[in-house]
Amino acid sequence: MRRTGFILFTLVVLSVLVKLGMWQISRGQEKETLTAALKLRGEQTFYSVASLPDDPLWYRVRLSGEYDHSKAILLDNQLDRGRPGYHLFYPFRTENGAWVLVNLGWLPAPQYRDELPVLPEFHGQVMLTGMVAPSTQLPELSEAETENGWPRRVQNIKPQELADATGLPLPDWVIQIAPDDPLALKQNWQAVVMGPEKHYAYAVQWFLLALAVAGLAWWWLKRSTH
């Protein structure tokens, strides 16, 4: 009975370790695909929202229009070198009448939670350069209380909810402002947080651990037969 239980436990552990290794490999392949798309699509620039393809992610844009400062959105819990802060989003109306949501970058949070940072404003017609990116989907530790009014702090950028809140026809993606845009704030957003090589390295670690467990199990079983 003890021997059978040990074998079953070992098989379960090995199964979990191998699955973790395979998952890391699949994540690495996803990152390779994303890196290739960033390189290829990042070389193409579109000058209007209407000209973007059906899948617009990672293409560069250069748009003329105006920011709407009356509906500022602050993405909460954004750290920069350990300092808490926000990513500032403004709706942007292009000269062709299309609305997009723009991440201008990082702002430090005031000392007290009930205070909000002083927000920059950019009036009049401006030129926006940036990259089309997916909306942020961060883990939410608890159900955050919905804030009313503006500026508004949010735990995630959910375009449909924000479209309803602002009354603006926002697309289901956002624009990350280019670091060299004159109106860009501090930039700490990354399209690829962890490269594919790290995922593959983690996969090797899981497989080596599975091999070690298998070796130890074989040694114990062989020893127990004597």
Side-chain angles (χ1 to χ4, degrees):
M1 179 67 74
R2 181 185 176 192
R3 184 184 179 89
T4 302
F6 177 78
I7 292 174
L8 291 175
F9 175 76
T10 301
L11 290 175
V12 170
V13 172
L14 289 175
S15 175
V16 171
L17 293 175
V18 170
K19 284 182 179 179
L20 286 170
M22 296 303 296
W23 177 74
Q24 289 289 353
I25 287 178
S26 68
R27 291 290 291 151
Q29 292 171 339
E30 290 174 7
K31 293 297 179 66
E32 282 189 341
T33 302
L34 174 56
T35 301
L38 283 168
K39 182 177 180 181
L40 178 63
R41 296 189 176 192
E43 296 173 352
Q44 303 178 61
T45 302
F46 291 83
Y47 294 89
S48 72
V49 173
S51 66
L52 285 166
D54 293 337
D55 178 11
L57 294 184
W58 314 123
Y59 286 109
R60 290 180 58 83
V61 292
R62 185 169 174 81
L63 308 171
S64 178
E66 295 185 51
Y67 286 104
D68 181 355
H69 306 103
S70 68
K71 296 180 176 65
I73 298 160
L74 294 167
L75 179 60
D76 208 349
N77 303 315
Q78 301 301 300
L79 297 178
D80 185 78
R81 298 182 180 180
R83 183 175 182 182
Y86 304 95
H87 277 179
L88 172 62
F89 288 77
Y90 278 140
F92 183 87
R93 187 178 187 274
T94 71
E95 62 182 358
N96 296 322
W99 285 95
V100 294
L101 196 60
V102 182
N103 183 358
L104 287 97
W106 184 84
L107 282 172
Q111 182 177 0
Y112 300 105
R113 179 66 182 176
D114 58 353
E115 296 179 358
L116 291 175
V118 177
L119 305 181
E121 294 190 0
F122 316 108
H123 297 284
Q125 197 87 355
V126 298
M127 187 64 69
L128 164 67
T129 56
M131 174 182 287
V132 179
S135 57
T136 309
Q137 294 298 324
L138 302 173
E140 298 182 23
L141 299 179
S142 61
E143 190 67 27
E145 183 178 343
T146 303
E147 292 191 0
N148 295 316
W150 307 97
R152 181 172 302 187
R153 284 181 293 209
V154 298
Q155 303 297 311
N156 261 311
I157 297 299
K158 300 177 180 178
Q160 187 54 58
E161 291 184 10
L162 292 173
D164 294 339
T166 59
L168 303 174
L170 298 173
D172 61 0
W173 42 262
V174 301
I175 292 179
Q176 296 288 338
I177 198 169
D180 58 355
D181 188 294
L183 304 184
L185 304 177
K186 185 172 185 179
Q187 298 296 296
N188 59 8
W189 176 84
Q190 292 178 291
V192 180
V193 178
M194 183 188 296
E197 63 284 345
K198 285 193 176 182
H199 287 287
Y200 294 139
Y202 288 143
V204 170
Q205 290 179 9
W206 287 121
F207 291 142
L208 288 176
L209 187 55
L211 187 62
V213 169
L216 287 172
W218 178 84
W219 173 83
W220 186 88
L221 289 171
K222 185 178 180 181
R223 181 173 175 271
S224 66
T225 58
H226 297 294

